């Protein structure tokens, strides 16, 4: 699961540098992230049913090997167009690893226990997200953007080696009809019609919308608008990841006490405070690192509750269709993230306002879903 923040976070401090080096317009620079996320979404639609049919291990091994090669291609890219293509292939292959990791939790654990395990797994993901930006900023500042992408390639190769050596098959009963067009469509329809799935899917999509706004836009805002160096920006990103990781630790006792839905309803209070504060400070004309960073700390602490509960909730009703459910939720998340990336490519205007309004919007929608749909159907 740490492959996803490694792919996105490590290269973020290098994004302004590669934009300058490859003489790329803002829209194409944003496309290096947006294309990765869109391919990641479509890849999940494929790899989810394939993993239900053939098992988790072969999909993991195959996609991780292809990911490592695509990451190496990104390092060697000679133009922004080539880099976009290689990043899209990274997203498509990364999808297999992520969708399998989520489905494996459902293979092995009942829903409530699975949410606690997911929180623990996302704490590990938080460590990658904590170290990634600081490492990427340091490497980019000292050795350039290609070296930062080289770190991503090395991470992918290490993940492939670990999985190939250590990870067993977890799917007890394979579904030989999972990839047949008729049954596959029927599975998606059944999943999408479930009110609990829709509630949790919308929750993870909205809370991830705020995170992706930060991922895709923060480097330009903090570096180009507020004047941080790539290394300083990496440290700022690391502090945000630390708050997210703290949220994943804090949510585990809440899950035991309040359940999935009760935890999310309460944690939405952090999200509301974050969204309101960043918008109010931006409208008041406060353009400082702290005016953006502190609300993001609060948002990511709440995200540490929403994401593990939401990801466990989306697959909980479907023990025999966990791959399909995980894939469908991931596809919707990626589609929304792609739209955010394209919007930021146009909206970023040299001020903090588009960034602040984006986070405020996703804070509001996350709270609305948590306090209505999840409260009603999240059990």
């Amino acid at each position: 699961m740490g492959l996803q923040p490694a792919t996105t976070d490590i290269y973020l401090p290098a994004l302004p540098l590669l934009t300058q080096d490859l003489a790329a317009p803002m829209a194409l620079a944003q496309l290096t992230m947006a294309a990765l996320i869109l391919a990641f979404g479509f890849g999940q639609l494929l790899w989810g049913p394939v993993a239900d049919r053939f098992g988790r291990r072969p999909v993991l091994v195959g996609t991780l090997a292809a990911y490592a090669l695509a990451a190496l291609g990104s390092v060697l890219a000679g133009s922004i167009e080539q880099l976009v293509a290689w990043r899209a292939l990274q997203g498509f292959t990364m999808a297999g690893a992520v969708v399998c990791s989520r489905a494996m939790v459902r293979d092995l654990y009942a829903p409530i226990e699975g949410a606690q395990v997911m929180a623990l797994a996302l704490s590990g993901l938080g460590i990658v997200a904590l170290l990634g930006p600081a490492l990427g900023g340091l490497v980019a500042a000292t050795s350039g953007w290609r070296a930062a992408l080289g770190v991503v390639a090395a991470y992918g190769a290490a993940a492939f080696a670990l999985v190939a050596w250590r990870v067993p098959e977890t799917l007890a009963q394979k579904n030989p009809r999972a990839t047949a067009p008729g049954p596959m469509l029927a599975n998606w329809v059944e999943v999408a019609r479930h009110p609990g799935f829709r509630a949790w899917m919308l929750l993870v999509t909205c809370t991830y919308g705020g995170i992706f706004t930060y991922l895709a836009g923060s480097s330009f805002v903090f570096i180009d608008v507020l004047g941080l160096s790539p290394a300083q920006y990496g440290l700022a990103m690391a502090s945000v990841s630390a708050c997210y990781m703290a949220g994943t630790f804090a949510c585990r006792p809440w899950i035991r006490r309040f359940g999935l839905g009760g935890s999310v309803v309460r944690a939405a209070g952090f999200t509301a405070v974050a969204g309101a504060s960043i918008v109010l400070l931006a409208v008041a004309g406060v353009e400082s690192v702290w005016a953006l960073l502190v609300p993001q700390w609060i948002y990511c602490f709440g995200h540490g509750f929403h994401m593990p509960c939401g990801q466990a909730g989306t697959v909980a009703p479907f023990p025999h269709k966990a791959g399909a459910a995980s894939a469908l939720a991931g596809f919707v998340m990626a589609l929304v993230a792609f739209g955010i990336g394209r919007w930021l490519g146009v909206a970023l205007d040299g001020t903090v306002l588009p960034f602040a309004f984006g986070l405020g919007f996703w804070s509001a929608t996350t709270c609305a879903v948590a306090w209505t749909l999840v409260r009603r159907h999240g059990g």
Side-chain angles (χ1 to χ4, degrees):
M1 295 185 75
L3 196 69
Q4 189 172 358
T7 307
T8 56
D9 295 10
I10 291 175
Y11 106 116
L12 284 179
L15 192 52
L17 295 178
L18 71 87
T19 301
Q20 297 169 10
D21 187 50
L22 298 177
M26 176 70 74
L28 279 179
Q30 286 291 342
L31 198 57
T32 62
M33 177 71 80
L36 178 140
I37 292 298
L38 185 63
F40 175 61
F42 279 104
Q44 290 180 80
L45 290 180
L46 170 68
W47 297 121
V50 170
D52 284 340
R53 178 177 179 180
F54 296 105
R56 317 305 186 201
R57 179 176 167 79
V59 173
L60 278 170
V61 172
T63 55
L64 283 171
Y67 172 92
L69 294 175
L72 181 60
S74 297
V75 176
L76 303 176
S79 67
I80 190 67
E81 291 81 7
Q82 292 178 19
L83 182 59
V84 168
W86 283 117
R87 292 286 287 176
L89 184 56
Q90 277 185 268
F92 184 75
T93 51
M94 177 177 72
V98 173
V99 77
C100 283
S101 66
R102 292 198 297 254
M104 288 166 72
V105 174
R106 186 64 187 93
D107 292 342
L108 299 172
Y109 302 99
I112 293 295
E113 187 182 10
Q116 294 174 312
V117 172
M118 184 68 76
L120 180 61
L122 292 177
S123 298
L125 180 150
I127 295 174
V128 177
L130 175 67
L131 299 177
L135 178 61
L138 178 62
V139 171
T142 57
S143 303
W145 64 268
R146 294 185 189 275
L149 288 177
V151 175
V152 178
Y155 187 98
F160 164 74
L162 178 63
V163 167
W165 176 43
R166 296 284 296 178
V167 175
E169 182 57 65
T170 61
L171 183 61
Q173 184 176 354
K174 299 171 185 176
N175 181 1
R177 304 188 64 204
T179 55
M184 185 165 59
L185 181 60
N187 284 343
W188 285 337
V189 170
E190 179 185 347
V191 168
R193 292 179 63 183
H194 194 289
F197 171 81
R198 291 198 300 270
W200 288 115
M201 179 270 294
L202 286 171
L203 180 83
V204 296
T205 299
C206 291
T207 186
Y208 184 68
I211 294 298
F212 191 80
T213 299
Y214 183 75
L215 291 176
S218 61
S219 60
F220 293 99
V221 173
F222 279 95
I223 294 174
D224 292 344
V225 178
L226 300 179
L228 295 187
S229 69
Q232 289 172 326
Y233 168 71
L235 292 175
M237 282 280 292
S239 70
V240 171
S241 299
C243 293
Y244 167 66
M245 188 163 59
T248 64
F249 279 107
C251 93
R252 291 202 288 274
W254 279 31
I255 293 172
R256 289 193 296 269
R257 183 176 179 184
F258 303 117
L260 301 186
S263 298
V264 162
V265 167
R266 290 166 173 81
F270 297 113
T271 310
V273 170
S277 59
I278 197 170
V279 169
L280 290 174
L281 288 169
V283 170
V286 181
E287 289 199 356
S288 72
V289 172
W290 296 110
L292 294 183
L293 199 55
V294 173
Q296 193 67 41
W297 287 345
I298 301 170
Y299 186 92
C300 282
F301 184 77
H303 184 69
F305 291 78
H306 297 319
M307 190 54 75
C309 292
Q311 292 201 358
T314 56
V315 299
F318 311 105
H320 303 298
K321 300 181 180 69
S326 174
L328 190 58
F331 171 73
V332 175
M333 289 169 59
L335 204 61
V336 169
F338 177 78
I340 293 170
R342 301 303 289 157
W343 172 74
L344 284 171
V346 176
L348 290 176
D349 58 0
T351 72
V352 302
L353 286 174
F355 179 77
F357 288 153
L359 187 67
F361 172 81
W362 292 112
S363 298
T365 55
T366 299
C367 292
V369 171
W371 291 335
T372 57
L373 295 177
V374 171
R375 185 191 295 272
R376 187 176 306 140
H377 303 296

